[in-house]
C-alpha cells in the first residue's frame, strides 16, 4: 500500500518535472528545500523524488493513529549495543542525573532534566514503530512534542534541521523543520502504562512516526539546531546514509 502510493507519487512528480523541464524543476526543488542532504541532485537517487513529493504533497499529513485496542501486547524491542559506562551511571541514579542538552541555533542553550521536560505540555499518541527489516508494533507514546522544547530554547528562524544524538557515541540523526515542528514528533518519556522502559529507549526517546523506526532514536542525549548538515559526520544528515539507508525514511 505504502510502496504503491510512493511509486505513484514519484512517477507523478517525475512526469510533471519532465513537462516543466529539467532546469526549471531543479531550480524549484532547490528554492523549496526539496533536496534531501544525502541526495546528489533532483535526478539523482530516488530518495530525492520521494522526499520532494512528500514535502510538496503531504507536508502537513498525520501518521496513522490507532485505537487503544490495537496496542501490541508484546511490543518488540530491537537489539541495541551494550550500554556505555556513562549510561549505566545515569541508570543507577534512576536517571535523575540524565540531561538532554539543547544547543546550536537557539537563543537559550539549555540542559533539561527529565523533571524539567515533564513540566512541559504533555501529548500522547498511539502509533506504529515500523522497522526497515519488515516488522512493526503499535504502542502508546507519552511525552512532550519536540516543538515545545524548541520553543523553550528559542530556536532561531534560520534553523533548517534538528540534529539529535543517542547515548551510543556513533549514533545520530536529523530531521527537517517540517518534521521537527510536526505535532506528532514527540520526546517520549512514557510508553503504554508507565515510564519508557530502557529497552524501548528510556529514559528519553524521539518518536518520528511519519518515518521508519531508525529515525526514532532511543536514549536521546543531545539536540542541536542548525542551518546546514555539512559539518555533521560526512554531511549526509545522519549515520544511516553512510551505511546505505536513506536520510529521509517517510512512510
Ligand atoms: N539509540 C538507538 N536508537 C534506535 C536504535 C538503536 O540501535 N539505538 N535502533 C533503531 C531502529 S533500526 C528501530 S527499527 C527502532 C526500533 O525500536 P524498538 O527498539 O522500540 O523496537 O529503534 C531505532 N532507534
Ligand atoms: Mo530498524
Amino acid at each position: 500500500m505504502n510502496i504503491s502510493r510512493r511509486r505513484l507519487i514519484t512517477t507523478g512528480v517525475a512526469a510533471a518535472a519532465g513537462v516543466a523541464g529539467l532546469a526549471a524543476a531543479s531550480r524549484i526543488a532547490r528554492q523549496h528545500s526539496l533536496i534531501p542532504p544525502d541526495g546528489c541532485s533532483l535526478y539523482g537517487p530516488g530518495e530525492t523524488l520521494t522526499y520532494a513529493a512528500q514535502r510538496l504533497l503531504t507536508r502537513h499529513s498525520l501518521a496513522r493513529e490507532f485505537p487503544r485496542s490495537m496496542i501490541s501486547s508484546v511490543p518488540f524491542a530491537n537489539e541495541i549495543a551494550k550500554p556505555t559506562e556513562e549510561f549505566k551511571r545515569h541508570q543507577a541514579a534512576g536517571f535523575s542525573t540524565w540531561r538532554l542538552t539543547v544547543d546550536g541555533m537557539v537563543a537559550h542553550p539549555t540542559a533539561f532534566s527529565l523533571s524539567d521536560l515533564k513540566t512541559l505540555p504533555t501529548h500522547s499518541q498511539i502509533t506504529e514503530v515500523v522497522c526497515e527489516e519488515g516488522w512493526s508494533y503499535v504502542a502508546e507514546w507519552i511525552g512532550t512534542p519536540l516543538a515545545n522544547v524548541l520553543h523553550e530554547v528559542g530556536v532561531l528562524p534560520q534553523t533548517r534541521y534538528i540534529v539529535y544524538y543517542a547515548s551510543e557515541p556513533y549514533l545520530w540523526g536529523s530531521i527537517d523543520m517540517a518534521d521537527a515542528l510536526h505535532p506528532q514528533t514527540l520526546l517520549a518519556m512514557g510508553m503504554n502504562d508507565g515510564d519508557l522502559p530502557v529497552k524501548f529507549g528510556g529514559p528519553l526517546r524521539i518518536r518520528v512516526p511519519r518515518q521508519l523506526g531508525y529515525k526514532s532514536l532511543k536514549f536521546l542525549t543531545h539536540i542541536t539546531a542548525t542551518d546546514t548538515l555539512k559539518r555533521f559526520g560526512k554531511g549526509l544528515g545522519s549515520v544511516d546514509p553512510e551505511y546505505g539507508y536513506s536520510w529521509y525514511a517517510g512512510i
Side-chain angles (χ1 to χ4, degrees):
M1 161 77 184
N2 274 328
I3 289 176
S4 59
R5 182 172 148 274
R6 173 175 302 181
R7 280 215 186 103
L8 192 76
I9 294 171
T10 306
T11 313
V13 170
V19 172
L22 297 186
S26 90
R27 193 177 64 241
I28 290 165
R30 261 173 233 292
Q31 272 168 2
H32 296 271
S33 301
L34 297 175
I35 309 278
D38 59 342
C40 321
S41 70
L42 184 64
Y43 293 93
E47 284 79 37
T48 298
L49 286 173
T50 305
Y51 178 64
Q54 292 269 3
R55 282 296 169 262
L56 285 170
L57 302 175
T58 61
R59 191 177 181 87
H60 302 290
S61 70
L62 292 173
R64 182 177 172 196
E65 298 207 13
F66 296 78
R68 198 158 287 280
S69 61
M70 285 187 69
I71 290 177
S72 306
S73 47
V74 191
F76 180 80
N78 207 4
E79 204 182 320
I80 36 151
K82 217 157 74 62
T84 60
E85 290 306 314
E86 191 186 359
F87 186 90
K88 285 195 242 169
R89 277 198 300 278
H90 290 306
Q91 190 170 14
F95 295 114
S96 59
T97 49
W98 183 264
R99 295 290 181 274
L100 174 72
T101 55
V102 187
D103 57 19
M105 299 183 83
V106 303
H108 321 285
T110 308
F112 294 90
S113 67
L114 289 175
S115 38
D116 294 336
L117 292 172
K118 283 178 182 166
T119 64
L120 298 175
T122 301
H123 180 78
S124 81
Q125 61 183 19
I126 300 173
T127 54
E128 191 173 25
V129 171
V130 182
C131 176
E132 77 292 348
E133 290 167 354
W135 50 267
S136 68
Y137 68 87
V138 172
E140 179 177 24
W141 306 94
I142 306 113
T144 196
L146 173 60
N148 289 341
V149 170
L150 296 179
H151 179 74
E152 284 291 307
V153 297
V155 70
L156 302 182
Q158 311 90 285
T159 301
R160 292 185 58 202
Y161 301 98
I162 299 298
V163 177
Y164 47 92
Y165 298 85
S167 73
E168 297 104 311
Y170 53 88
L171 215 46
W172 65 282
S174 70
I175 47 179
D176 67 10
M177 295 313 279
D179 266 326
L181 300 175
H182 190 273
Q184 290 174 311
T185 299
L186 207 63
L187 294 178
M189 292 166 276
M191 181 185 177
N192 296 334
D193 293 322
D195 284 343
L196 180 62
V198 166
K199 61 180 180 168
F200 290 101
L204 184 69
R205 170 183 206 163
I206 189 169
R207 274 291 291 134
V208 187
R210 300 198 305 172
Q211 296 199 44
L212 285 174
Y214 65 76
K215 300 293 287 193
S216 289
L217 285 192
K218 311 195 264 194
F219 330 115
L220 221 61
T221 56
H222 177 197
I223 287 178
T224 194
T226 182
D227 60 350
T228 172
L229 293 166
K230 288 209 176 79
R231 288 183 295 275
F232 294 86
K234 293 187 178 163
L236 301 173
S238 56
V239 282
D240 310 301
E242 298 175 13
Y243 294 91
Y245 295 93
S246 79
W247 169 79
Y248 184 69
I251 46 178

